[in-house]
PDB file of all heavy atoms in Angstrom:
ATOM      1  N   ILE K   1     -32.651  -4.100   0.066  1.00 77.00           N
ATOM      2  CA  ILE K   1     -31.404  -4.885   0.023  1.00 77.00           C
ATOM      3  C   ILE K   1     -30.769  -4.656  -1.313  1.00 77.00           C
ATOM      4  O   ILE K   1     -29.538  -4.500  -1.374  1.00 77.00           O
ATOM      5  CB  ILE K   1     -31.666  -6.393   0.334  1.00 77.00           C
ATOM      6  CG1 ILE K   1     -32.075  -6.526   1.783  1.00 77.00           C
ATOM      7  CG2 ILE K   1     -30.418  -7.186   0.053  1.00 77.00           C
ATOM      8  CD1 ILE K   1     -32.522  -7.961   2.139  1.00 77.00           C
ATOM      9  N   MET K   2     -31.485  -4.688  -2.366  1.00 71.00           N
ATOM     10  CA  MET K   2     -30.898  -4.488  -3.740  1.00 71.00           C
ATOM     11  C   MET K   2     -30.306  -3.103  -3.900  1.00 71.00           C
ATOM     12  O   MET K   2     -29.236  -3.017  -4.476  1.00 71.00           O
ATOM     13  CB  MET K   2     -31.955  -4.741  -4.858  1.00 71.00           C
ATOM     14  CG  MET K   2     -32.413  -6.190  -4.989  1.00 71.00           C
ATOM     15  SD  MET K   2     -30.959  -7.246  -5.347  1.00 71.00           S
ATOM     16  CE  MET K   2     -30.445  -6.715  -6.906  1.00 71.00           C
ATOM     17  N   LYS K   3     -30.995  -2.095  -3.357  1.00 77.00           N
ATOM     18  CA  LYS K   3     -30.410  -0.774  -3.418  1.00 77.00           C
ATOM     19  C   LYS K   3     -29.181  -0.647  -2.642  1.00 77.00           C
ATOM     20  O   LYS K   3     -28.152  -0.014  -3.098  1.00 77.00           O
ATOM     21  CB  LYS K   3     -31.436   0.282  -2.807  1.00 77.00           C
ATOM     22  CG  LYS K   3     -32.583   0.592  -3.756  1.00 77.00           C
ATOM     23  CD  LYS K   3     -33.498   1.612  -3.123  1.00 77.00           C
ATOM     24  CE  LYS K   3     -34.767   1.878  -4.030  1.00 77.00           C
ATOM     25  NZ  LYS K   3     -35.657   2.852  -3.399  1.00 77.00           N
ATOM     26  N   GLN K   4     -29.025  -1.316  -1.465  1.00 76.00           N
ATOM     27  CA  GLN K   4     -27.840  -1.315  -0.650  1.00 76.00           C
ATOM     28  C   GLN K   4     -26.698  -2.026  -1.404  1.00 76.00           C
ATOM     29  O   GLN K   4     -25.548  -1.559  -1.382  1.00 76.00           O
ATOM     30  CB  GLN K   4     -28.082  -1.956   0.691  1.00 76.00           C
ATOM     31  CG  GLN K   4     -28.962  -1.100   1.613  1.00 76.00           C
ATOM     32  CD  GLN K   4     -29.273  -1.782   2.906  1.00 76.00           C
ATOM     33  OE1 GLN K   4     -29.064  -2.969   3.045  1.00 76.00           O
ATOM     34  NE2 GLN K   4     -29.756  -0.963   3.840  1.00 76.00           N
ATOM     35  N   LEU K   5     -27.052  -3.177  -2.054  1.00 69.00           N
ATOM     36  CA  LEU K   5     -26.006  -3.883  -2.767  1.00 69.00           C
ATOM     37  C   LEU K   5     -25.511  -3.036  -4.026  1.00 69.00           C
ATOM     38  O   LEU K   5     -24.312  -3.090  -4.319  1.00 69.00           O
ATOM     39  CB  LEU K   5     -26.581  -5.226  -3.328  1.00 69.00           C
ATOM     40  CG  LEU K   5     -26.672  -6.289  -2.223  1.00 69.00           C
ATOM     41  CD1 LEU K   5     -27.424  -7.480  -2.793  1.00 69.00           C
ATOM     42  CD2 LEU K   5     -25.348  -6.641  -1.678  1.00 69.00           C
ATOM     43  N   ILE K   6     -26.419  -2.370  -4.623  1.00 77.00           N
ATOM     44  CA  ILE K   6     -25.981  -1.528  -5.797  1.00 77.00           C
ATOM     45  C   ILE K   6     -25.058  -0.422  -5.320  1.00 77.00           C
ATOM     46  O   ILE K   6     -24.014  -0.076  -5.947  1.00 77.00           O
ATOM     47  CB  ILE K   6     -27.254  -0.873  -6.507  1.00 77.00           C
ATOM     48  CG1 ILE K   6     -27.918  -2.046  -7.253  1.00 77.00           C
ATOM     49  CG2 ILE K   6     -26.853   0.179  -7.439  1.00 77.00           C
ATOM     50  CD1 ILE K   6     -29.331  -1.608  -7.852  1.00 77.00           C
ATOM     51  N   ILE K   7     -25.417   0.205  -4.218  1.00 75.00           N
ATOM     52  CA  ILE K   7     -24.565   1.274  -3.619  1.00 75.00           C
ATOM     53  C   ILE K   7     -23.173   0.655  -3.230  1.00 75.00           C
ATOM     54  O   ILE K   7     -22.160   1.247  -3.510  1.00 75.00           O
ATOM     55  CB  ILE K   7     -25.216   1.968  -2.418  1.00 75.00           C
ATOM     56  CG1 ILE K   7     -26.407   2.767  -2.914  1.00 75.00           C
ATOM     57  CG2 ILE K   7     -24.233   2.795  -1.628  1.00 75.00           C
ATOM     58  CD1 ILE K   7     -27.258   3.287  -1.775  1.00 75.00           C
ATOM     59  N   LEU K   8     -23.177  -0.456  -2.593  1.00 66.00           N
ATOM     60  CA  LEU K   8     -21.954  -1.168  -2.221  1.00 66.00           C
ATOM     61  C   LEU K   8     -21.021  -1.431  -3.417  1.00 66.00           C
ATOM     62  O   LEU K   8     -19.857  -1.131  -3.437  1.00 66.00           O
ATOM     63  CB  LEU K   8     -22.224  -2.402  -1.397  1.00 66.00           C
ATOM     64  CG  LEU K   8     -21.012  -3.283  -0.998  1.00 66.00           C
ATOM     65  CD1 LEU K   8     -20.171  -2.452   0.004  1.00 66.00           C
ATOM     66  CD2 LEU K   8     -21.374  -4.636  -0.400  1.00 66.00           C
ATOM     67  N   PHE K   9     -21.606  -1.984  -4.458  1.00 64.00           N
ATOM     68  CA  PHE K   9     -20.897  -2.307  -5.699  1.00 64.00           C
ATOM     69  C   PHE K   9     -20.355  -1.022  -6.358  1.00 64.00           C
ATOM     70  O   PHE K   9     -19.304  -1.000  -6.924  1.00 64.00           O
ATOM     71  CB  PHE K   9     -21.701  -3.172  -6.670  1.00 64.00           C
ATOM     72  CG  PHE K   9     -21.785  -4.590  -6.230  1.00 64.00           C
ATOM     73  CD1 PHE K   9     -23.043  -5.173  -6.007  1.00 64.00           C
ATOM     74  CD2 PHE K   9     -20.621  -5.370  -6.017  1.00 64.00           C
ATOM     75  CE1 PHE K   9     -23.167  -6.486  -5.631  1.00 64.00           C
ATOM     76  CE2 PHE K   9     -20.719  -6.668  -5.598  1.00 64.00           C
ATOM     77  CZ  PHE K   9     -21.962  -7.291  -5.435  1.00 64.00           C
ATOM     78  N   THR K  10     -21.137   0.016  -6.299  1.00 64.00           N
ATOM     79  CA  THR K  10     -20.733   1.261  -6.914  1.00 64.00           C
ATOM     80  C   THR K  10     -19.475   1.840  -6.180  1.00 64.00           C
ATOM     81  O   THR K  10     -18.499   2.230  -6.837  1.00 64.00           O
ATOM     82  CB  THR K  10     -21.868   2.303  -6.805  1.00 64.00           C
ATOM     83  OG1 THR K  10     -23.016   1.805  -7.473  1.00 64.00           O
ATOM     84  CG2 THR K  10     -21.396   3.634  -7.430  1.00 64.00           C
ATOM     85  N   PHE K  11     -19.512   1.794  -4.883  1.00 61.00           N
ATOM     86  CA  PHE K  11     -18.340   2.131  -4.115  1.00 61.00           C
ATOM     87  C   PHE K  11     -17.066   1.275  -4.399  1.00 61.00           C
ATOM     88  O   PHE K  11     -15.972   1.748  -4.553  1.00 61.00           O
ATOM     89  CB  PHE K  11     -18.565   2.247  -2.624  1.00 61.00           C
ATOM     90  CG  PHE K  11     -19.368   3.422  -2.187  1.00 61.00           C
ATOM     91  CD1 PHE K  11     -20.585   3.289  -1.419  1.00 61.00           C
ATOM     92  CD2 PHE K  11     -18.987   4.736  -2.452  1.00 61.00           C
ATOM     93  CE1 PHE K  11     -21.260   4.345  -1.054  1.00 61.00           C
ATOM     94  CE2 PHE K  11     -19.714   5.820  -2.048  1.00 61.00           C
ATOM     95  CZ  PHE K  11     -20.859   5.579  -1.341  1.00 61.00           C
ATOM     96  N   LEU K  12     -17.306  -0.022  -4.457  1.00 53.00           N
ATOM     97  CA  LEU K  12     -16.295  -0.978  -4.749  1.00 53.00           C
ATOM     98  C   LEU K  12     -15.662  -0.636  -6.135  1.00 53.00           C
ATOM     99  O   LEU K  12     -14.425  -0.592  -6.234  1.00 53.00           O
ATOM    100  CB  LEU K  12     -16.830  -2.413  -4.708  1.00 53.00           C
ATOM    101  CG  LEU K  12     -15.793  -3.484  -4.929  1.00 53.00           C
ATOM    102  CD1 LEU K  12     -14.723  -3.518  -3.908  1.00 53.00           C
ATOM    103  CD2 LEU K  12     -16.502  -4.872  -5.018  1.00 53.00           C
ATOM    104  N   ILE K  13     -16.442  -0.564  -7.146  1.00 60.00           N
ATOM    105  CA  ILE K  13     -15.965  -0.257  -8.465  1.00 60.00           C
ATOM    106  C   ILE K  13     -15.223   1.053  -8.499  1.00 60.00           C
ATOM    107  O   ILE K  13     -14.197   1.147  -9.151  1.00 60.00           O
ATOM    108  CB  ILE K  13     -17.083  -0.360  -9.469  1.00 60.00           C
ATOM    109  CG1 ILE K  13     -17.542  -1.833  -9.645  1.00 60.00           C
ATOM    110  CG2 ILE K  13     -16.685   0.146 -10.834  1.00 60.00           C
ATOM    111  CD1 ILE K  13     -18.841  -2.053 -10.407  1.00 60.00           C
ATOM    112  N   THR K  14     -15.790   2.067  -7.908  1.00 54.00           N
ATOM    113  CA  THR K  14     -15.116   3.380  -7.860  1.00 54.00           C
ATOM    114  C   THR K  14     -13.779   3.300  -7.154  1.00 54.00           C
ATOM    115  O   THR K  14     -12.835   3.910  -7.692  1.00 54.00           O
ATOM    116  CB  THR K  14     -16.053   4.431  -7.171  1.00 54.00           C
ATOM    117  OG1 THR K  14     -17.307   4.484  -7.779  1.00 54.00           O
ATOM    118  CG2 THR K  14     -15.417   5.743  -7.115  1.00 54.00           C
ATOM    119  N   SER K  15     -13.631   2.610  -6.096  1.00 52.00           N
ATOM    120  CA  SER K  15     -12.355   2.473  -5.382  1.00 52.00           C
ATOM    121  C   SER K  15     -11.349   1.752  -6.249  1.00 52.00           C
ATOM    122  O   SER K  15     -10.142   2.068  -6.212  1.00 52.00           O
ATOM    123  CB  SER K  15     -12.502   1.891  -4.049  1.00 52.00           C
ATOM    124  OG  SER K  15     -12.869   0.503  -4.100  1.00 52.00           O
ATOM    125  N   ILE K  16     -11.768   0.759  -7.004  1.00 51.00           N
ATOM    126  CA  ILE K  16     -10.793   0.026  -7.844  1.00 51.00           C
ATOM    127  C   ILE K  16     -10.335   0.928  -8.928  1.00 51.00           C
ATOM    128  O   ILE K  16      -9.162   0.912  -9.269  1.00 51.00           O
ATOM    129  CB  ILE K  16     -11.517  -1.303  -8.343  1.00 51.00           C
ATOM    130  CG1 ILE K  16     -11.664  -2.276  -7.227  1.00 51.00           C
ATOM    131  CG2 ILE K  16     -10.707  -1.886  -9.544  1.00 51.00           C
ATOM    132  CD1 ILE K  16     -12.537  -3.559  -7.659  1.00 51.00           C
ATOM    133  N   ASN K  17     -11.323   1.654  -9.571  1.00 48.00           N
ATOM    134  CA  ASN K  17     -10.874   2.575 -10.680  1.00 48.00           C
ATOM    135  C   ASN K  17      -9.927   3.673 -10.091  1.00 48.00           C
ATOM    136  O   ASN K  17      -8.973   4.074 -10.809  1.00 48.00           O
ATOM    137  CB  ASN K  17     -12.068   3.165 -11.318  1.00 48.00           C
ATOM    138  CG  ASN K  17     -12.771   2.177 -12.262  1.00 48.00           C
ATOM    139  OD1 ASN K  17     -12.128   1.208 -12.620  1.00 48.00           O
ATOM    140  ND2 ASN K  17     -13.982   2.409 -12.523  1.00 48.00           N
ATOM    141  N   ALA K  18     -10.163   4.152  -8.917  1.00 48.00           N
ATOM    142  CA  ALA K  18      -9.317   5.209  -8.357  1.00 48.00           C
ATOM    143  C   ALA K  18      -7.919   4.706  -8.149  1.00 48.00           C
ATOM    144  O   ALA K  18      -6.919   5.383  -8.343  1.00 48.00           O
ATOM    145  CB  ALA K  18      -9.930   5.731  -7.040  1.00 48.00           C
ATOM    146  N   ASP K  19      -7.788   3.480  -7.671  1.00 46.00           N
ATOM    147  CA  ASP K  19      -6.487   2.948  -7.499  1.00 46.00           C
ATOM    148  C   ASP K  19      -5.681   2.723  -8.755  1.00 46.00           C
ATOM    149  O   ASP K  19      -4.519   2.941  -8.776  1.00 46.00           O
ATOM    150  CB  ASP K  19      -6.597   1.589  -6.706  1.00 46.00           C
ATOM    151  CG  ASP K  19      -5.209   1.026  -6.285  1.00 46.00           C
ATOM    152  OD1 ASP K  19      -4.420   1.763  -5.777  1.00 46.00           O
ATOM    153  OD2 ASP K  19      -4.972  -0.198  -6.539  1.00 46.00           O
ATOM    154  N   CYS K  20      -6.369   2.506  -9.772  1.00 50.00           N
ATOM    155  CA  CYS K  20      -5.672   2.285 -11.124  1.00 50.00           C
ATOM    156  C   CYS K  20      -5.230   3.555 -11.673  1.00 50.00           C
ATOM    157  O   CYS K  20      -4.341   3.638 -12.567  1.00 50.00           O
ATOM    158  CB  CYS K  20      -6.615   1.630 -12.107  1.00 50.00           C
ATOM    159  SG  CYS K  20      -7.071  -0.012 -11.629  1.00 50.00           S
ATOM    160  N   ASP K  21      -5.692   4.752 -11.207  1.00 54.00           N
ATOM    161  CA  ASP K  21      -5.321   6.071 -11.700  1.00 54.00           C
ATOM    162  C   ASP K  21      -4.050   6.625 -11.063  1.00 54.00           C
ATOM    163  O   ASP K  21      -3.636   7.730 -11.417  1.00 54.00           O
ATOM    164  CB  ASP K  21      -6.475   7.008 -11.618  1.00 54.00           C
ATOM    165  CG  ASP K  21      -7.649   6.711 -12.554  1.00 54.00           C
ATOM    166  OD1 ASP K  21      -7.394   5.991 -13.498  1.00 54.00           O
ATOM    167  OD2 ASP K  21      -8.744   7.101 -12.280  1.00 54.00           O
ATOM    168  N   THR K  22      -3.503   5.989 -10.026  1.00 66.00           N
ATOM    169  CA  THR K  22      -2.374   6.505  -9.361  1.00 66.00           C
ATOM    170  C   THR K  22      -1.142   6.517 -10.306  1.00 66.00           C
ATOM    171  O   THR K  22      -0.993   5.597 -11.197  1.00 66.00           O
ATOM    172  CB  THR K  22      -1.938   5.749  -8.099  1.00 66.00           C
ATOM    173  OG1 THR K  22      -1.736   4.389  -8.507  1.00 66.00           O
ATOM    174  CG2 THR K  22      -3.133   5.795  -7.116  1.00 66.00           C
ATOM    175  N   ILE K  23      -0.307   7.486 -10.226  1.00 85.00           N
ATOM    176  CA  ILE K  23       0.846   7.630 -11.132  1.00 85.00           C
ATOM    177  C   ILE K  23       1.992   8.285 -10.372  1.00 85.00           C
ATOM    178  O   ILE K  23       1.780   9.195  -9.592  1.00 85.00           O
ATOM    179  CB  ILE K  23       0.432   8.449 -12.332  1.00 85.00           C
ATOM    180  CG1 ILE K  23       1.541   8.325 -13.444  1.00 85.00           C
ATOM    181  CG2 ILE K  23       0.130   9.857 -12.085  1.00 85.00           C
ATOM    182  CD1 ILE K  23       1.126   8.742 -14.802  1.00 85.00           C
ATOM    183  N   ASP K  24       3.175   7.806 -10.540  1.00 90.00           N
ATOM    184  CA  ASP K  24       4.363   8.410 -10.009  1.00 90.00           C
ATOM    185  C   ASP K  24       4.829   9.514 -10.883  1.00 90.00           C
ATOM    186  O   ASP K  24       4.629   9.538 -12.114  1.00 90.00           O
ATOM    187  CB  ASP K  24       5.512   7.371  -9.941  1.00 90.00           C
ATOM    188  CG  ASP K  24       5.206   6.214  -8.957  1.00 90.00           C
ATOM    189  OD1 ASP K  24       4.089   6.255  -8.316  1.00 90.00           O
ATOM    190  OD2 ASP K  24       6.075   5.361  -8.826  1.00 90.00           O
ATOM    191  N   TYR K  25       5.390  10.555 -10.248  1.00 93.00           N
ATOM    192  CA  TYR K  25       5.797  11.739 -10.964  1.00 93.00           C
ATOM    193  C   TYR K  25       7.081  12.244 -10.340  1.00 93.00           C
ATOM    194  O   TYR K  25       7.396  12.038  -9.165  1.00 93.00           O
ATOM    195  CB  TYR K  25       4.736  12.795 -11.005  1.00 93.00           C
ATOM    196  CG  TYR K  25       4.281  13.134  -9.565  1.00 93.00           C
ATOM    197  CD1 TYR K  25       4.850  14.166  -8.829  1.00 93.00           C
ATOM    198  CD2 TYR K  25       3.281  12.405  -8.933  1.00 93.00           C
ATOM    199  CE1 TYR K  25       4.417  14.429  -7.576  1.00 93.00           C
ATOM    200  CE2 TYR K  25       2.819  12.589  -7.708  1.00 93.00           C
ATOM    201  CZ  TYR K  25       3.386  13.657  -6.987  1.00 93.00           C
ATOM    202  OH  TYR K  25       3.011  13.934  -5.647  1.00 93.00           O
ATOM    203  N   TRP K  26       7.938  12.970 -11.120  1.00 96.00           N
ATOM    204  CA  TRP K  26       9.111  13.506 -10.562  1.00 96.00           C
ATOM    205  C   TRP K  26       9.494  14.776 -11.380  1.00 96.00           C
ATOM    206  O   TRP K  26       9.170  14.930 -12.526  1.00 96.00           O
ATOM    207  CB  TRP K  26      10.294  12.535 -10.539  1.00 96.00           C
ATOM    208  CG  TRP K  26      10.543  11.823 -11.849  1.00 96.00           C
ATOM    209  CD1 TRP K  26      11.541  12.139 -12.739  1.00 96.00           C
ATOM    210  CD2 TRP K  26       9.896  10.635 -12.369  1.00 96.00           C
ATOM    211  NE1 TRP K  26      11.557  11.271 -13.817  1.00 96.00           N
ATOM    212  CE2 TRP K  26      10.602  10.342 -13.634  1.00 96.00           C
ATOM    213  CE3 TRP K  26       8.868   9.847 -11.942  1.00 96.00           C
ATOM    214  CZ2 TRP K  26      10.209   9.256 -14.386  1.00 96.00           C
ATOM    215  CZ3 TRP K  26       8.476   8.799 -12.713  1.00 96.00           C
ATOM    216  CH2 TRP K  26       9.089   8.488 -13.912  1.00 96.00           C
ATOM    217  N   ALA K  27      10.104  15.700 -10.580  1.00 97.00           N
ATOM    218  CA  ALA K  27      10.539  16.945 -11.187  1.00 97.00           C
ATOM    219  C   ALA K  27      12.059  17.068 -11.012  1.00 97.00           C
ATOM    220  O   ALA K  27      12.633  16.612  -9.962  1.00 97.00           O
ATOM    221  CB  ALA K  27       9.818  18.045 -10.486  1.00 97.00           C
ATOM    222  N   VAL K  28      12.775  17.660 -11.975  1.00 98.00           N
ATOM    223  CA  VAL K  28      14.221  17.802 -11.979  1.00 98.00           C
ATOM    224  C   VAL K  28      14.491  19.345 -12.017  1.00 98.00           C
ATOM    225  O   VAL K  28      13.918  20.101 -12.736  1.00 98.00           O
ATOM    226  CB  VAL K  28      14.851  17.191 -13.203  1.00 98.00           C
ATOM    227  CG1 VAL K  28      16.386  17.348 -13.141  1.00 98.00           C
ATOM    228  CG2 VAL K  28      14.392  15.687 -13.368  1.00 98.00           C
ATOM    229  N   TYR K  29      15.349  19.736 -11.028  1.00 98.00           N
ATOM    230  CA  TYR K  29      15.719  21.167 -10.882  1.00 98.00           C
ATOM    231  C   TYR K  29      17.232  21.256 -11.049  1.00 98.00           C
ATOM    232  O   TYR K  29      17.999  20.376 -10.639  1.00 98.00           O
ATOM    233  CB  TYR K  29      15.419  21.635  -9.478  1.00 98.00           C
ATOM    234  CG  TYR K  29      13.894  21.525  -9.126  1.00 98.00           C
ATOM    235  CD1 TYR K  29      13.367  20.359  -8.714  1.00 98.00           C
ATOM    236  CD2 TYR K  29      13.042  22.571  -9.223  1.00 98.00           C
ATOM    237  CE1 TYR K  29      12.071  20.198  -8.360  1.00 98.00           C
ATOM    238  CE2 TYR K  29      11.735  22.534  -8.968  1.00 98.00           C
ATOM    239  CZ  TYR K  29      11.181  21.344  -8.497  1.00 98.00           C
ATOM    240  OH  TYR K  29       9.862  21.254  -8.227  1.00 98.00           O
TER     241      TYR K  29
END
């Protein structure tokens, strides 16, 4: 159960960090 919780929290923390890395970008031609 502890291993499963650690894996769950790892995925949760990874998904939160991934969402914070999103950035808008634009190019002008």
Side-chain angles (χ1 to χ4, degrees):
I1 291 173
M2 287 306 292
K3 285 181 183 177
Q4 290 175 346
L5 285 174
I6 290 172
I7 292 171
L8 177 66
F9 284 122
T10 302
F11 283 127
L12 179 64
I13 291 169
T14 303
S15 68
I16 289 171
N17 285 340
D19 187 44
C20 294
D21 290 339
T22 61
I23 191 164
D24 294 0
Y25 53 93
W26 53 97
V28 182
Y29 301 83

